[in-house]
Amino acid sequence: MSTFGRHRLPEWPLDPGIVYLNHGTVGVTPRRVLEAQQALRDEIERSPSRFMLRELSGGGASASKSKPRLRAAAEAVAEFLGADGEDLVFVENATTGVNAVLRSLEFGAGDDIVITDRVYGAVEHAARHAAGRRGASVRRVELPEPVRDPAQVTEAIDDSIGAATKLVIADHITSESALLFPIAEIAARCRAKGVPLLVDGAHGPGAIAVDIPSIGADWYTGNLHKWGWSPRSCAILWTAPARQAETRPAVISWGYEQGYLLEFDWAATRDPTPMLAAPEGIAFMRELGLDDMRRWNHTLAWQGARILAARWETDFVTPESMIGTMATVPLPAEYGVTSDHAVRLRAALLFEDGIEVQMHPWSGRLWARISGQVYNEISDVERLAEAVLARRPAARTGEGAEAGARTG
Ligand SMILES: Cc1ncc(COP(=O)(O)O)c(C=O)c1O
């Protein structure tokens, strides 16, 4: 029997009646990590003020001689990401990491922030908010559709950097389109032009091997609650040493002007257990074998995408080098074109066929994004392929004809 596949499902709290092909959206936390988190909760509740004020962050009333608990966890995560613990702090999620950087920078009238058209929606909102308040603007780079070569992304971003560009935000792995960007090449182009780069690595840690310093970016924010198997809400913000003095958390609290680490660590009252339990998720992945796990998940995504495209008779042209553990495949044109079509098909798949998958409209048609995780196997993707075909609008009476007519 393979190390991975459906027999691992009992280690996850997922409903066994559902084929879950959507690990990427909000992550899933393994049972043993949830148990570690509960043990932390129990430990905190035995003496909450002692833990929260004295043991957690190293700020203020901290009398403990031992390393602050948050630092110990941050160092374990940093080691997993090839980073120095001194450069890495926890944030609640990647969106908070992005907001922290955007709020830390001074934009002026006429400045611009470069993003791409594959940016995550909430990140675009944060960029527009930060720019708009200062009379700056957001420049949204159009990438080719489809992207056939990672160099197309690098060139498009490089071409769009102008004299007014004060920040580039680039994904490590995009959300809906699930494209692994050539992030080190993008970072090199930004450096050559003297423009700082913020990497949105929401889908990076755990999914692929990430060595943050070697990317050469100025900031890297990434979730652990997606592919790092930590509880929600747990993410990191890594900051290059030269940028740390100017980098502040999105919420200013007790660590104000106490240096990069305390600015973030000595925060207002919050639940620290997702962060403190993060090393348990990493330990579990390591026990299963990081390389084997990634190979399994990648193969599911890559082979799965090709199976879907073959069964649906659509084109899947993404190069394998741009696929991590997710892949996005177009549906046949007759399935529709709007968000409403996507929502309805996705709901039918979940509530009637027992399959959870991400689905969205893009470029005049619907697309399905599959995630490969250790509890999945290729038969899950085959089930999705057949379930979608069984819902082919033209093959249905009444509602099918209506859905088909709406594609124009
Ligand atoms: C590329 C990308 N960036 C940012 C986010 C936001 O993640 P979070 O909601 O954990 O902040 C997501 C979530 O899916 C994402 O896909």
Side-chain angles (χ1 to χ4, degrees), residues 49 90 94 138 212 214 236 243 272 292 294 353:
S49 55
F90 283 115
V138 169
I212 297 178
S214 70
I236 58 96
R243 296 278 176 197
D292 291 346
R294 289 184 181 131
D353 303 330

Side-chain angles (χ1 to χ4, degrees), residues 24-46:
T25 290
V26 289
V28 187
T29 315
R31 286 186 194 281
R32 71 177 248 187
V33 180
L34 291 171
E35 282 160 17
Q37 182 186 22
Q38 188 54 44
L40 285 158
R41 285 203 175 106
D42 293 342
E43 185 187 352
I44 292 170
E45 296 314 323
R46 266 195 299 276

Side-chain angles (χ1 to χ4, degrees), residues 25 93-95 120 123 171 173 175 200 202-203 223 225-226:
T25 290
N93 45 57
T95 306
Y120 185 68
V123 171
D171 295 278
I173 299 170
S175 179
D200 174 0
H203 289 279
N223 282 324
H225 58 215
K226 288 184 189 286

Side-chain angles (χ1 to χ4, degrees), residues 9 18 34 41 43 97 181 185 191 197 240-241 258 289 300 367:
L9 206 50
I18 302 288
L34 291 171
R41 285 203 175 106
E43 185 187 352
F181 277 2
E185 283 78 9
R191 268 200 318 280
L197 171 67
Q258 303 283 316
L300 284 173
W367 300 70

